Each structure stands twice: as structure tokens, then as C-alpha cells.
Amino acid sequence: MAIGVLALQGSFNEHITALNKLGVKGVEIRKPEQLEHVRALIIPGGESTTMAKLAEYHNLFPALRSFVKSGKPVWGTCAGLIFLADRAVGQKQGGQELVGGLDCLVHRNFFGSQIQSFETELSVPTLADKEGGPPNFRGIFIRAPAILEAGPSVEVLADYPVPSKQVMETASESKTEQEQNNSGEKVIVAVKQGNLLATAFHPELTADTRWHSFFMNMVDGPVDEGSADQTIAYIAKQLPVFQ
């Protein structure tokens, strides 16, 4: 079976390219029935409100929630992280629909506007232990979210230091004054919970494929290229979809 990449908007092509580098075939997903033919799914970065509106238009949310609950691996990057979160703050008026499943509170636009995007070296000991390579990873944050709170079943894979005042201000919608006073000086930017992986940054925009390899190791059993070819052929026969 192939690996699906939600292709409504955002950096889905970059994820498919990264998968190809690992010898894995990724297929674009735009319709609910296409999810039945993939064994894992990547929800890419992009503009989360736009992606949510398109997902609602194509009636994808019920199928996405079923896919998450099925236990198949799902990885959300940036906007994809927001999609997977159970709770979100910092959203536009009226909010946006979430897929859910990841026991965390995410701030939709924690790091600011597009012009405040940045790159930084992140400490990733678990990634280095599992996939080799250096103990750091170059994180690309583009109008990025951050995880403010994570449940007990969530494994933190990377965090990023920020002024405690910033954490307090952005968490104010969900935390009491006492809880704000106890805020730490780091926010979480990569997590794993069961079949779910989420990163606030964009690994697909780097030449380092270790996060994609890490995700592929969450897939139960090898990805068969022959089956992937059949899946791509099936999807190609579908009716015209959103471009």
C-alpha cells in the first residue's frame, strides 16, 4: 500500500519528494474514499484555515477521524499538527474544525506572522537514536504553531526555549492565573502519541529525511511498491478532484 499525503493545499509535493528519496511512493489524497487505499497518512503544512475549509468542502473530516482512530500512522507537520490536536487556541473568530486524537493544546500561531518565520537547531535525541545522524535537526518554522500542554501519553521529541512571558500570554485563553505563573520556558514542537506523530516545523523543506524515515518505521510492515503502483492507478481513475 502507498503512503497518502493530504493534498488540499500546502507542502504536499515536498513530502512526496522526501518519501521518494526513501524509496517509498506517496500519493495525493483529496477524497475520503482514497484513504481506504493507503496505510499511513501525512497532513502537510500550509494555511490551516484554508485547509480546514477545503477538507470540510470535500467531506474529509469524518474519514480523517476514522483513519486516526483506526490506528494507522498519521503525521501532521505545522498546519497538520493543528489538525491533529484535541484543543487549539489562537484561532480566528469562529475557530476551525479539528480532526483531533492528539492529547495536547496547541496555539495555532504561537511564533507570529509570516515575517517572523525562522530556522533553528533543535535537539532531537530520540530521532538521532532511532535514525542515526547528528543529535540536532534544522527546524524550519513558518508562521508556526506550538504545543503548550501535552497529556501523559504524549512523548515529547523536541522542544524550543522561549520567554516564559510569551508562554503565559499565549496560554491565557485556557489557563488560570496560578497555572500561568507556573509556566516553564519551553514550548513543545515535536511529539509522538501511539500512531500519531506531529511536528510544528517543516522537515519536508530540508534535505534531511530522518523524520520521514522515523515515520515510516511507525508503519506496520514493509511498504510494497507493487501495491503502491496499484493504489496510484486506482486513484488516477477517480473523478476529477480539486486542483
Side-chain angles (χ1 to χ4, degrees), residues 212-231:
H212 289 83
S213 179
F214 184 90
F215 180 63
M216 293 313 306
N217 285 329
M218 293 170 57
V219 180
D220 184 20
V223 180
D224 180 76
E225 289 201 13
S227 296
D229 288 335
Q230 295 174 12
T231 300

Side-chain angles (χ1 to χ4, degrees), residues 57-69:
Y57 177 81
H58 291 286
N59 195 32
L60 272 162
F61 277 105
L64 290 170
R65 293 190 183 104
S66 294
F67 197 94
V68 167
K69 292 177 181 178

Side-chain angles (χ1 to χ4, degrees), residues 131-215:
E131 303 299 330
N136 294 333
F137 185 91
R138 190 70 176 173
I140 299 176
F141 292 80
I142 302 174
R143 199 179 179 186
I147 295 174
L148 305 180
E149 300 173 6
S153 62
V154 177
E155 178 185 4
V156 176
L157 302 178
D159 53 30
Y160 181 73
V162 294
S164 58
K165 181 181 178 181
Q166 183 180 0
V167 177
M168 288 160 42
E169 288 175 349
T170 55
S172 61
E173 297 177 46
S174 64
K175 303 180 77 172
T176 66
E177 182 177 354
Q178 181 62 40
E179 288 174 323
Q180 289 179 36
N181 290 337
N182 293 332
S183 294
E185 296 182 350
K186 292 183 178 180
V187 290
I188 302 167
V189 294
V191 295
K192 181 180 181 296
Q193 178 190 330
N195 63 309
L196 303 181
L197 177 67
T199 55
F201 47 95
H202 290 264
E204 75 279 8
L205 300 183
T206 75
D208 190 338
T209 59
R210 286 183 295 162
W211 282 104
H212 289 83
S213 179
F214 184 90
F215 180 63

